Structure formats: C-alpha cells, structure tokens
Amino acid sequence: MTGFFTLIGIQVPFVIPAGATLGLSVVLFMMPSRDIGQDAKEARSDAVRALSAFIELCALERNSGAGTVVALSSAAEVGDSWIFRRISEELARARYNGEPPWDSLEQLADDLGLPELNEVADTMRLANDEGSRVYQQLRARSASVRSALLSSELAQAGQVEERMYLPASLLGVVFLALLMAPPLLRLFDAT
C-alpha cells in the first residue's frame, strides 16, 4: 500500500505502514485460535446431540432386559458418528483391560469435556451396583439434554436475528438517502 501511495504521489510516514503491519499480524495470529475454538464448540454440540441418542439407546437396552455392560456396548455400536466410535473404543478398551466400563466413560467424559457422558456413567454404575431400574432416569436425562440443546439453539437463533437488524436498518437508510438525494440536490441548486 505504501508503494501504491508513493506511485500516486502521496507520502505516507513510515509509522503508519509499520503499525498497520503489526496490527494485521496480531489479527491474523489470533484467527486460527478463534477458528479452532469455534470448531471445538461445534464438535461439542454434535457430541451432546449424539449423546442424547446414546442415552436413549441405553435406556431402551436396559428396558429390554440387557445388563448394564451389554446395554452400553449395544448402544455404542448403533451410531456411526465420531462420539459413538470413541465410546465404543473406550468400552472395548475397558473390556480388554478388565475395568468397569463406567470408569472408562468417566475418563472419556473428562477428556472431551462432556458432563452428560459422566452422568450416564454414574447412572449405569448405580444400576450395576444396586441392580436398580434406570429406564426412567435415563429417559429423563435424555429429555433434559434435548431440552438444553433446544434452548441453546434458540439462543443462537436469537443472536443471529439480532445481528440481522443492523444490515436491514442500513439498507433502509441507504434507500432513504436515495429517495432524498434528488430533492436535496434541487434545493441546493436553487440557492
């Protein structure tokens, strides 16, 4: 830009291009971090959506009489998303290591930052230890996860709607300026 301004005869002090370069480099340095954060947020949202289905599948397996370990494994094998594959891998690793599957699920929940998976692991641990019926608990947990997802999506839609007001109002101002320009130009020519 400095070269272009020099070609057209405008002298720009050295401080302006140096400051612009530093400012642009800071912005470009921060953009990948922001993009990674957005990708992580989207992946976490997809994982919570898939976990809602996983919880529902676990509830159905338990209702049909399957044991806790079998219910977890069967539910994990149904889905084909990345979170279902990770859950299935963790359950297989726990089975090969002779560990309880809920411990592996808790570790996975901590690694991925998914408290919903941690709650499923706790519920299934209680079902195994106490032999309690967890169908209603799992269904209620699945419903609350879906409700939280819905409210989050409604909040995002509200934010998008708020951002749309500015361009629409700007378009209205431009339209009014186009309507007012000819009479104003005639008025100034008359004086």
Side-chain angles (χ1 to χ4, degrees), residues 33-51:
S33 172
R34 184 184 59 96
D35 291 344
I36 289 171
Q38 284 179 336
D39 290 346
K41 185 186 279 186
E42 289 175 13
R44 195 166 285 118
S45 175
D46 291 343
V48 170
R49 198 170 278 111
L51 278 176

Side-chain angles (χ1 to χ4, degrees), residues 11-64:
Q11 293 298 328
V12 179
F14 177 74
V15 176
I16 293 175
T21 301
L22 286 175
L24 188 61
S25 64
V26 167
V27 168
L28 292 177
F29 180 78
M30 299 299 249
M31 285 189 66
S33 172
R34 184 184 59 96
D35 291 344
I36 289 171
Q38 284 179 336
D39 290 346
K41 185 186 279 186
E42 289 175 13
R44 195 166 285 118
S45 175
D46 291 343
V48 170
R49 198 170 278 111
L51 278 176
S52 173
F54 176 73
I55 295 168
E56 194 73 33
L57 290 169
C58 285
L60 292 173
E61 288 290 329
R62 285 291 292 166
N63 194 38
S64 68

Side-chain angles (χ1 to χ4, degrees):
M1 291 297 292
T2 304
F4 173 73
F5 286 135
T6 304
L7 282 176
I8 61 172
I10 300 174
Q11 293 298 328
V12 179
F14 177 74
V15 176
I16 293 175
T21 301
L22 286 175
L24 188 61
S25 64
V26 167
V27 168
L28 292 177
F29 180 78
M30 299 299 249
M31 285 189 66
S33 172
R34 184 184 59 96
D35 291 344
I36 289 171
Q38 284 179 336
D39 290 346
K41 185 186 279 186
E42 289 175 13
R44 195 166 285 118
S45 175
D46 291 343
V48 170
R49 198 170 278 111
L51 278 176
S52 173
F54 176 73
I55 295 168
E56 194 73 33
L57 290 169
C58 285
L60 292 173
E61 288 290 329
R62 285 291 292 166
N63 194 38
S64 68
T68 54
V69 176
V70 174
L72 288 170
S73 298
S74 297
E77 292 172 1
V78 172
D80 61 347
S81 69
W82 66 272
I83 189 69
F84 276 94
R85 287 191 298 269
R86 286 290 305 267
I87 291 172
S88 184
E89 290 170 2
E90 288 299 321
L91 291 174
R93 185 174 296 123
R95 186 173 54 245
Y96 295 141
N97 292 337
E99 299 172 353
W102 28 89
D103 290 342
S104 295
L105 290 180
E106 284 180 349
Q107 182 62 39
L108 180 63
D110 292 339
D111 291 346
L112 298 178
L114 297 170
E116 294 86 2
L117 184 58
N118 204 356
E119 292 172 7
V120 172
D122 289 340
T123 303
M124 296 306 265
R125 173 184 287 128
L126 283 174
N128 187 56
D129 292 345
E130 299 174 5
S132 63
R133 302 222 5 116
V134 294
Y135 174 74
Q136 293 299 331
Q137 293 171 346
L138 289 172
R139 292 292 308 263
R141 183 67 200 139
S142 176
S144 70
V145 168
R146 284 193 307 271
S147 175
L149 280 171
L150 179 63
S151 64
S152 171
E153 288 175 358
L154 286 173
Q156 287 176 350
Q159 289 175 348
V160 169
E161 185 180 4
E162 289 285 327
R163 284 185 288 191
M164 291 304 295
Y165 286 135
L166 182 64
S169 61
L170 225 56
L171 185 62
V173 168
V174 169
F175 182 70
L176 284 174
L178 287 173
L179 286 176
M180 295 299 295
L184 286 176
L185 288 175
R186 271 188 254 124
L187 180 67
F188 288 132
D189 281 342
T191 55

